[in-house]
């Protein structure tokens, strides 16, 4: 009986971490080749694994196993050093739908959902499996006032904690 409960809870946790926040819809007709490359983090909801980092970037490249290599990098001024985390991502469903599962820690995966994307793949609004995780990424260290306004409006509309969004330094 305990084994069944453990298995059920494990499956529930794995499924929950691949879920999508209510009201958030992944981009369709997604072109992973165009998404690959370097992105700058313009805004995010703060969380422990990126706390106090500036100059944060994410770089995406193809893996031999068909997945996507994720290399996140940021500078921690207090320690005067760069921090890096390498992960792997895989599409949850079709490769043309921007819903992936990403892992930086062994067998544990979480959702990565691109729910808004610039026509030229110049900016992306990304969420995690719930409204505690939100990022604005761009191909350049800054975005236009219009992109920022759209991001903030959509974040509020979708139920993200609008007042907790931070804007890390990009130099």
């Amino acid at each position: 009986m305990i084994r069944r409960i453990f298995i059920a809870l494990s499956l529930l946790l794995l499924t929950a971490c691949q879920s999508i926040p209510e009201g958030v819809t992944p981009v369709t007709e997604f072109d992973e080749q165009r998404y690959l490359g370097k992105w700058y983090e313009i805004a995010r909801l703060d969380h422990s694994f990126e706390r106090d980092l500036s100059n944060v970037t994410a770089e995406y490249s193809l893996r031999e196993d068909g997945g996507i290599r994720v290399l996140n990098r940021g500078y921690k001024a207090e320690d005067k050093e760069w921090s890096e985390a390498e992960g792997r991502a895989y599409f949850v469903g079709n490769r043309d739908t921007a819903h992936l599962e990403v892992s930086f820690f062994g067998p544990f995966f979480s959702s990565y959902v691109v729910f808004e994307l610039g026509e030229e793949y110049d900016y992306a609004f990304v969420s995690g499996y719930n409204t505690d995780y939100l990022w604005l990424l761009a191909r350049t260290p800054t975005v236009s006032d219009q992109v920022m306004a759209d991001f903030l409006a959509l974040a509020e509309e979708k139920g993200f904690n609008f007042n907790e969004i931070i804007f890390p330094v990009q130099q």
Side-chain angles (χ1 to χ4, degrees):
M1 179 67 167
I2 291 175
R3 184 172 180 223
R4 286 184 191 166
I5 292 172
F6 177 75
I7 290 170
L9 286 174
S10 296
L11 289 173
L12 179 64
L13 286 173
L14 288 173
T15 303
C17 288
Q18 292 179 356
S19 63
I20 299 172
E22 188 176 330
V24 171
T25 304
V27 168
T28 56
E29 298 183 30
F30 181 73
D31 182 347
E32 71 182 281
Q33 291 295 322
R34 291 183 70 194
Y35 198 79
L36 299 176
K38 187 173 187 175
W39 292 84
Y40 295 87
E41 185 181 86
I42 307 302
R44 71 170 183 259
L45 285 174
D46 200 20
H47 40 77
S48 61
F49 52 91
E50 281 189 288
R51 185 141 306 129
D52 299 324
L53 292 181
S54 61
N55 299 298
V56 178
T57 60
E59 193 150 349
Y60 304 99
S61 58
L62 291 179
R63 292 172 45 95
E64 287 184 18
D65 66 2
I68 295 175
R69 176 180 179 254
V70 181
L71 181 62
N72 288 346
R73 189 168 194 252
Y75 185 74
K76 190 159 191 168
E78 181 180 305
D79 299 336
K80 295 184 170 84
E81 66 182 25
W82 289 92
S83 174
E84 284 189 354
E86 184 172 339
R88 62 195 193 283
Y90 302 93
F91 286 89
V92 171
N94 296 329
R95 293 182 87 85
D96 66 347
T97 300
H99 179 202
L100 296 93
E101 58 181 9
V102 64
S103 175
F104 290 93
F105 310 106
F108 304 103
F109 283 85
S110 189
S111 276
Y112 180 101
V113 183
V114 180
F115 64 96
E116 183 75 23
L117 189 58
E119 202 171 296
E120 300 300 319
Y121 283 66
D122 53 342
Y123 68 87
F125 303 171
V126 179
S127 79
Y129 71 96
N130 66 25
T131 56
D132 292 337
Y133 300 96
L134 176 69
W135 294 268
L136 167 54
L137 305 178
R139 295 294 188 172
T140 57
T142 60
V143 295
S144 69
D145 291 342
Q146 186 61 57
V147 168
M148 183 61 73
D150 292 346
F151 172 73
L152 295 173
L154 203 52
E156 186 174 33
E157 175 188 313
K158 301 289 183 188
F160 293 92
N161 193 342
F162 175 80
N163 296 317
E164 297 293 320
I165 294 174
I166 64 170
F167 306 91
V169 172
Q170 283 288 353
Q171 296 176 343

